[in-house]
Amino acid sequence: MQKLKRILALTGAVLLVALYACTLIFALMDSDWADTMLKASIAATILVPVLLYGMILMARVLKKDDDPTDGPSDIQ
């Protein structure tokens, strides 16, 4: 499970870097198409992390509590 989480985290980070690069490129271009793509890129840059965060929260709520290494520990 940890390996899957690391792969998904790396994929999300690469996706965000690609979105930031696309936003920069579209901002520097001068055409109607680039303006539309800039708006879509900015929206995706905001929505993708919000959706990923929501999916992480739902996974924590819906998961079984049989993996003690994922959550906070009650041991003091």
Side-chain angles (χ1 to χ4, degrees):
M1 187 66 163
Q2 290 290 66
K3 190 171 188 176
L4 178 64
K5 286 183 182 180
R6 287 182 183 176
I7 291 171
L8 291 175
L10 181 61
T11 304
V14 169
L15 178 65
L16 285 175
V17 168
L19 283 172
Y20 295 147
C22 288
T23 302
L24 178 66
I25 291 169
F26 293 139
L28 297 175
M29 295 172 70
D30 188 31
S31 72
D32 292 334
W33 177 80
D35 186 47
T36 304
M37 294 305 291
L38 174 65
K39 291 176 186 175
S41 180
I42 291 172
T45 301
I46 295 169
L47 290 176
V48 167
V50 169
L51 291 175
L52 288 174
Y53 181 71
M55 291 190 323
I56 290 169
L57 285 178
M58 290 304 297
R60 285 185 188 165
V61 169
L62 297 176
K63 78 171 187 164
K64 296 179 184 176
D65 288 332
D66 47 278
D67 190 4
T69 60
D70 284 343
S73 176
D74 290 333
I75 301 172
Q76 295 180 359

